[in-house]
Amino acid sequence: MNTTVLVLALGLPVMLLMRVPLAFAIGLATIGALWSADIDMMIFAQRMVSGTQSFSLLAIPFFILAGDLMTAGGISRRLVAFADVLVRHRTGGLGMVAVLAAAFFAALSGSAPATTAAIGAIMIPEMEKRGYSRAFATALAVAGGIIGPMLPPSIPMVVWGVMSETSISQLFLAGVVPGILLAFGLMVLCWHHARKHDIAPQPKASRAEVWSAFNDAKWALCGPILVLGGIYGGIVTPTEAAIVAAVFALVLGFGVYRELTLKTIVPVTRGSLKTMTIVMFIIALANGFGWVMAFERIPGQVTQALDGFSDMPVLYLLMVNVLLLVIGCVMDNLAAMIILASFLVPIGEQLGMDPVQFGAMVAINFTIGMATPPFGYTIFVGAAISGLRIGQIARPLMPMLGVMIAVLLLVAFVPQVTLSLVDLLR
């Protein structure tokens, strides 16, 4: 193993263990590798810039902005209220409300942290008032946030589509069934938790209440139809759909619900810009890291090392999933996809998997990492909202992670889970 590969292999994990921020850990590891290989540092800067010059990546900042505008503009609150009248009378109904609301919101924002923040801020205090522990409510908001990157439009699917040259629209469709399965599994856990802790359901909503909640949320519910209908109707690209989602949130917030004002939109936009800057900075640095890996032919070496398992496809696929889950636990999902795409794509080809199924599997693996202690980003969001420590959230989160992994195994080993809807449009 040469010095450059050693710097890459050890530098990044060591700095992460030292709690160096991810973006700086990636950048420093890359600079160290370039220095050890005596490569002009200007290449790193060029790769950082070129890695962000993709039209499809524009979808990320606009979906982030759309999610923040929807929260500030009252859209997420109305979606929660509508979900509430649908299922609150069931055992575990309020927990199911959180899951359903997360699914509704996910179909507009495509972001796990945005979904956790929007739903958690509303549902955690309400669930605590009605008998749920604060830890369980927070864990459910974290797990519900993971539905965001599964259901279309999904920010991780956009990134994987760009890096692997796979159809983003088909990747969006591939996430629909896994997202629904995860939502169903989480609702079953809510039912079990409520029965175990004798949490009484709420009174069933009257027809008048259902109609009132629907009428109040009807424009918000049109959002997924507008965004996804535009993509699959061939009217807009996924990137353009992100802009449509942001404009839609602005129009509803200002013109319909009137909860956005010129005064409130400034801090909302500032927060979105801060998030966008962090995400795009990580993507830029990860592109440079990925280029050094490709230059040193590390992807080919890893693929060769795994060749010995190619005659045992089930074990091979399980090993790949375990590896991706472990990486997802300690790295940002977008950075991981960019860094690892160059050697993951050949592995998918070795396994003989459809590129769309393999892409969905990779994205879901890294998405689960966002809800996995100790570094999962959505856990930090949940902790910030609830005021709890990560250790307190982790315990009730474990059964929910079990549901996520069960869905992941279905995605990996049952092609129809991801390809059934895709095949309808091929």
Side-chain angles (χ1 to χ4, degrees):
M1 184 181 289
N2 63 39
T3 308
T4 306
V5 174
L6 198 62
V7 171
L8 287 175
L10 297 180
L12 181 59
V14 166
M15 281 187 280
L16 289 175
L17 289 172
M18 292 170 63
R19 300 295 179 89
V20 176
L22 176 63
F24 294 104
I26 293 171
L28 290 171
T30 308
I31 289 169
L34 290 170
W35 178 79
S36 67
D38 197 24
I39 299 173
D40 189 348
M41 294 291 173
M42 186 60 69
I43 293 176
F44 184 34
Q46 291 169 344
R47 291 291 166 177
M48 283 180 62
V49 173
S50 64
T52 59
Q53 301 303 299
S54 168
F55 176 72
S56 296
L57 287 178
L58 279 174
I60 295 174
F62 280 106
F63 277 130
I64 291 171
L65 177 61
D68 289 344
L69 289 172
M70 287 168 198
T71 302
I75 294 174
S76 56
R77 180 167 49 79
R78 286 170 172 82
L79 292 174
V80 169
F82 179 59
D84 186 37
V85 298
L86 293 180
V87 295
R88 72 186 187 195
H89 58 285
R90 306 286 183 187
T91 301
L94 194 62
M96 296 178 187
V97 169
V99 176
L100 274 181
F104 286 145
F105 191 82
L108 284 166
S109 73
S111 164
T115 304
T116 294
I119 304 307
I122 299 168
M123 293 304 304
I124 292 171
E126 191 63 29
M127 289 180 69
E128 193 174 21
K129 269 193 265 178
R130 298 195 198 174
Y132 293 85
S133 70
R134 194 169 187 82
F136 180 84
T138 305
L140 190 61
V142 170
I146 299 306
I147 299 171
M150 290 190 186
L151 293 177
S154 160
I155 291 174
M157 298 291 192
V158 171
V159 173
W160 181 259
V162 172
M163 299 309 301
S164 65
E165 299 182 358
T166 307
S167 166
I168 295 173
S169 297
Q170 290 185 3
L171 286 170
F172 280 178
L173 275 182
V176 171
V177 174
I180 292 171
L181 289 174
L182 175 58
F184 178 77
L186 292 177
M187 290 171 79
V188 171
L189 280 182
C190 291
W191 173 83
H192 174 73
H193 180 86
R195 285 198 64 183
K196 183 178 178 181
H197 294 86
D198 294 321
I199 299 172
Q202 299 299 303
K204 186 174 182 178
S206 65
R207 288 186 179 181
E209 285 179 296
V210 174
W211 173 251
S212 176
F214 171 76
N215 198 45
D216 196 32
K218 63 185 177 185
W219 294 111
L221 292 168
C222 286
I225 298 171
L226 181 68
V227 173
L228 302 181
I231 294 171
Y232 296 113
I235 301 168
V236 294
T237 65
T239 303
E240 292 163 346
I243 299 169
V244 169
V247 172
F248 175 76
L250 271 175
V251 170
L252 284 194
F254 272 112
V256 179
Y257 299 141
R258 299 186 179 179
E259 294 189 22
L260 277 180
T261 64
L262 291 175
K263 187 177 180 180
T264 59
I265 200 171
V266 173
V268 171
T269 308
R270 188 185 295 122
S272 298
L273 287 170
K274 183 179 178 181
T275 306
M276 293 174 202
T277 303
I278 293 168
V279 171
M280 295 309 291
F281 187 47
I282 290 172
I283 288 174
L285 289 165
N287 268 288
F289 189 97
W291 178 83
V292 177
M293 287 183 67
F295 182 81
E296 291 295 326
R297 298 182 178 86
I298 296 173
Q301 293 172 33
V302 173
T303 307
Q304 266 188 338
L306 291 171
D307 271 346
F309 298 96
S310 57
D311 58 342
M312 296 179 283
V314 173
L315 178 60
Y316 191 3
L317 187 52
L318 279 173
M319 288 178 61
V320 170
N321 277 280
V322 169
L323 175 66
L324 296 180
L325 277 173
V326 171
I327 292 170
C329 291
V330 297
M331 278 194 71
D332 176 81
N333 62 341
L334 304 184
M337 282 191 283
I338 294 167
I339 290 170
L340 302 175
S342 58
F343 74 81
L344 286 177
V345 171
I347 286 174
E349 292 169 355
Q350 271 189 334
L351 288 165
M353 293 177 69
D354 184 286
V356 175
Q357 180 196 1
F358 186 74
M361 184 190 81
V362 170
I364 291 170
N365 259 298
F366 289 142
T367 296
I368 292 172
M370 297 182 75
T372 305
F375 299 115
Y377 189 27
T378 57
I379 300 180
F380 292 131
V381 174
I385 294 168
S386 64
L388 297 176
R389 297 188 306 275
I390 289 177
Q392 292 173 290
I393 302 168
R395 186 172 179 180
L397 186 60
M398 288 303 153
M400 302 175 195
L401 284 170
V403 173
M404 295 177 204
I405 291 171
V407 171
L408 173 62
L409 291 174
L410 286 173
V411 168
F413 290 100
V414 185
Q416 291 78 9
V417 170
T418 49
L419 300 180
S420 54
L421 292 177
V422 175
D423 289 340
L424 295 175
L425 295 183
R426 279 179 169 171

